[in-house]
Amino acid sequence: MSEVDADADADASPEPGSGRADADGPAGAGTATRTAEATGAGGREDAAGDRPLRVEGLAKSFGGITAVDGASFDVERGQLTGLIGPNGAGKSTTFNLITGFIQPDAGAVYLNGSDVTGRPPYELADRGLVRTFQIARELSEMTVLENMMLAPMHQPGESLWRSVTPGPRRDVQAAEEEALERVWETLEFFEIDHLAEEYAGSLSGGQRKLLELARALLTDPDVLLLDEPFAGVNPSLEERLLEHVHELRERGYTFLLVEHDIDLIMENCARVIVMHQGQILADGVPEAVRADERVIDAYLGGDVE
Amino acid sequence: MTGTDGGAGRDRSTPGEGRTDGGAVDDHLRTDGGTGPTSAASSTPSLLGSDVLKIVALMAGIYLLFTGFGVALGYGTNGIVNTLQRVTFLAAVYAMAVLALNLHWGYTGLFNIGVAGFMAVGAYAMMMLTAPPSAPVPGLGLPFWVGAIGGTLAAAIVGGIAALPALRLRADYLAIVTIAFAEIIRFVFRLSALQTFTVFGVRMGTGGARGISGADPDTVLTDLLFSIPIVGSEVVIPIPGTGTGILIPSVLGSISTTLQGMGVVPNVVRGWVYALVLIAVVAGFYWLLTRIGNSPFGRVLKAIREDEDVARALGKDTARFKIKAFMLGCGLMGLVGILWQGSRGFINPTENFLPQVTFFVWIAMIIGGSGSNTGSVLGGALFAALLFEGPRFAVNVVDANVELGSAPSTISAAVADLLGGDVTSMAAYVMGNIDALRFVLVGVILIYLMQNRPDGLLGHRKETAASIDLSRPARTRSRGPTDPEVAADGAGTGAGSDAGPGGDGQ
């Protein structure tokens, strides 16, 4: 009995199948286009299909401070791409620029080939680009279940008259039943289903990170931008979170993650982008980036033997 | 709970040796997963029942108290019934206003301190639509129903206009905009230039500082109720051939006759009928807002209250949700303005719609606990009965039974007497100035509540924002209370089969 159950569980986790497997390109084929040293698999530069997210010449300054200064990079489909850089390198600003939380002064963001520069966050989420926050921003006075139920896109019950009028409300409830199943499956996948009835505010830091990732997944994203998902997470939970990320990547989700922990990025990402003083310093496979003199000078310092 | 999860986390990374631990954790998880949802499922219907019971119990207590006041003051039956009518009226209108405000602040986190202004828009629009064209302050002479709907819509539209620029701002700025807006509205209605004016050849007006008279909801709604067969008017079923018929007395008619037999004057009976109409409106508000709260729409509102950026990041167009919620709440406030301030068919800007009305409504909401509709009704009733009306009655009762002598003319004189050991002087001062001093009492209670019951009288309530029961659906549950360990092992190592029996079985 339980064998079957276990399998069912494994399959039933978020977004069953949905044909993402094909996008799962060969790991490590990260084409290093901007780092001279890196001679990766070469340029499948062609279609937006392989690079769902592309950023060109993004710039933003606050007052006299230039936070992001002409950053250009792209993210490959079905890959884990890491964005690293010292404090103040402009990583978080870049994130906010891509996700529409702040408006760029110059440059463009392309999502699946179309220009989405400066579009509001809700529209980007609708197009499949969803972010998480550096400090897990759970909705603390809402239960874990409510947090999760919030996420699915285009719920019929989000219309005011539908959720009140007796007839249409039945459709609303039917849609909720459907969403609820996915919610529980996702909670089980992330192993936080036992916390379902708890207020999100009473979860531990790591559990909140799990909740946030789980919640983001329910929006059916193509590309997930994770802002320091491992900050303040204990090692065992970090490992669990990483396993989830890898498993999701294998299913075809695309990840861009900002992280401080260089070792973690180097070990887990197929491609690493290094930012420094608002600019892209290096971009390529971890080995190449690790060997890049400028990166060593700017950031890695003595870390590299 | 947290400890359990920590354990689960560790087990996960070392599936092999975690087996025995896992078993222990299983039991934990199973209990959680098993009891949580079921209790939630069973509590949903009973919650409503117990909430209605709470409201009924509170009103019963209030009636008992005010009957006591009436008896102590030597009121006759008419006086007591009249007192209870007044308390019911106030409790109902405050409950309505708090319910509307709760949609703004309790659900969506919109800091609206212009409640009185939106009430004014509703009431004025109704009066201007219904005032007879021949009146000193002329109107369109339309029926009350048109006026009521028009007033509600007008308040919603004005709310939308106020919200458009303000909702882009953060919470505190919305507060400033709304209170300023409310005062601007009141002063516009006061303008002597708008006393009467002509639009497209139609003479209209706001009446300026003198106010305006129009349809009288009190009369219209009471008459309506009295005109419903069986409920309000008697019905004669003719018996064929005899020329006579069977007379079926009306419910209200019988009650009215009985009350009048007990010495209650017809006007008081009519007042009670209007109070009953208001109670029905409160029930309608409650139904509507609870339904909104328990829906995906309400869930987004709640998320906006908690963290708007998160809602935006999850693909919700939060500005639209906020405007919808704000307009709906303002429309309801407009309706409250019509039924409350406009209930006697006359309003003026110097007595009605003062900013303090807004703050009374806010206090009532804080007492009941923002975010809960039941709390809103309880808070409204409690504020109206105990803080608004209660002190006056209490003082009258004391006054009638205790001789306190003359009161000092200033508070400092009273305090000096108090320090000198003369308690009665202070007591007499309090009694003489209770109308002003009851708001000191309100302040004290507010401070106490903020420190000791910040979530309101009902405390923290888990009112899940969903149209359905969110416990584990049957399809998932049929696999047995799925233990995440098993799932994880199954996915990771395929060793889930051993972990099963302990966890599933039962």
Side-chain angles (χ1 to χ4, degrees), chain A residues 1-3 5-10 12 100-101 120-123 125-126 129-131 133 137-143 145-147 149-160 163-167 169 172-174 176-178 180-181 184-185 188 191-195 197-199 202-204 207 210 212 215-216 219 236-237 239-240 243-244 247, chain B residues 1-2 4-6 8-10 12-13 29 32-33 36-37 40 287-288 290-292 294-300 302-303 305-307 309-318 321 324-325 328 455 460-473 475-476 478-480 482-488 490-491 494 496-501 504-505:
Chain A
M1 168 192 180
S2 18
E3 208 162 42
D5 290 349
D7 284 346
D9 268 339
F101 276 84
Y122 68 85
E123 201 182 313
D126 199 12
L129 177 82
V130 172
R131 72 169 298 177
F133 292 91
R137 284 166 86 165
E138 78 296 336
L139 303 162
S140 49
E141 287 285 295
M142 296 169 78
T143 64
L145 275 170
E146 283 178 298
N147 264 270
M149 288 294 286
L150 177 70
M153 306 288 292
H154 305 295
Q155 300 183 45
E158 284 173 7
S159 126
L160 176 56
S163 54
V164 174
T165 325
R169 189 171 165 95
V172 168
Q173 286 169 326
E176 292 245 273
E177 303 275 2
E178 236 169 78
L180 185 66
E181 252 176 51
W184 275 99
E185 280 161 5
E188 279 161 22
E191 298 161 44
I192 46 175
D193 53 334
H194 59 293
L195 301 167
E197 306 275 338
E198 297 296 312
Y199 280 110
S202 62
L203 302 192
S204 73
Q207 289 166 341
L210 282 172
E212 204 176 347
R215 199 175 56 189
T219 62
S236 66
L237 204 54
E239 196 158 328
R240 206 167 123 198
E243 271 178 52
H244 288 310
E247 200 177 328
Chain B
M1 196 54 77
T2 315
T4 312
D5 182 74
R10 270 187 301 283
R12 181 73 179 81
S13 48
L29 297 178
D32 281 334
W287 176 85
L288 176 73
T290 304
R291 217 162 155 96
I292 289 173
N294 295 338
S295 77
F297 182 84
R299 198 155 58 217
V300 177
K302 219 168 159 182
R305 179 191 74 192
E306 293 295 308
D307 190 334
D309 278 349
V310 170
R312 292 206 302 157
L314 290 174
K316 313 299 177 198
D317 182 358
T318 52
F321 283 93
K324 278 187 191 175
L328 178 65
D455 291 317
H460 202 93
R461 283 163 65 94
K462 211 180 229 180
E463 292 183 353
T464 308
S467 66
I468 54 166
D469 178 13
L470 290 186
S471 53
R472 204 182 289 253
R475 199 183 63 73
T476 334
S478 67
R479 283 186 229 145
T482 313
D483 164 9
E485 290 311 294
V486 177
S497 53
D498 324 47
D504 286 47

Side-chain angles (χ1 to χ4, degrees), chain B residues 403-479:
Chain B
E403 189 51 58
L404 284 171
S406 64
S409 57
T410 64
I411 181 101
S412 46
V415 171
D417 285 348
L418 188 66
L419 293 176
D422 182 4
V423 184
T424 53
S425 163
M426 185 53 145
Y429 179 80
V430 169
M431 309 267 299
N433 295 281
I434 191 66
D435 267 355
L437 287 175
R438 63 190 163 149
F439 297 118
V440 175
L441 175 69
V442 169
V444 170
I445 287 175
L446 211 51
I447 292 169
Y448 175 83
L449 276 176
M450 282 315 207
Q451 290 197 331
N452 296 289
R453 280 202 91 98
D455 291 317
L457 277 178
L458 294 179
H460 202 93
R461 283 163 65 94
K462 211 180 229 180
E463 292 183 353
T464 308
S467 66
I468 54 166
D469 178 13
L470 290 186
S471 53
R472 204 182 289 253
R475 199 183 63 73
T476 334
R477 193 163 28 202
S478 67
R479 283 186 229 145

Side-chain angles (χ1 to χ4, degrees), chain A residues 217-293:
Chain A
L217 273 182
L218 284 174
T219 62
D220 277 334
D222 281 337
V223 185
L224 275 151
L225 274 69
L226 311 182
D227 197 353
E228 302 205 17
F230 307 109
V233 174
N234 72 46
S236 66
L237 204 54
E238 178 180 303
E239 196 158 328
R240 206 167 123 198
L241 208 50
L242 265 171
E243 271 178 52
H244 288 310
V245 169
H246 278 296
E247 200 177 328
L248 292 166
R249 181 186 56 75
E250 276 160 27
R251 289 184 197 179
Y253 289 97
T254 305
F255 287 93
L256 174 64
L257 56 105
V258 163
E259 191 47 66
H260 263 312
D261 186 340
I262 303 162
D263 291 334
L264 190 146
I265 288 274
M266 293 293 182
E267 279 166 28
N268 290 286
C269 293
R271 193 163 137 230
V272 179
I273 299 163
V274 185
M275 281 191 84
H276 183 53
Q277 292 177 346
Q279 290 172 325
I280 305 297
L281 194 61
D283 181 351
V285 294
E287 299 71 35
V289 168
R290 214 182 257 277
D292 190 310
E293 286 291 332

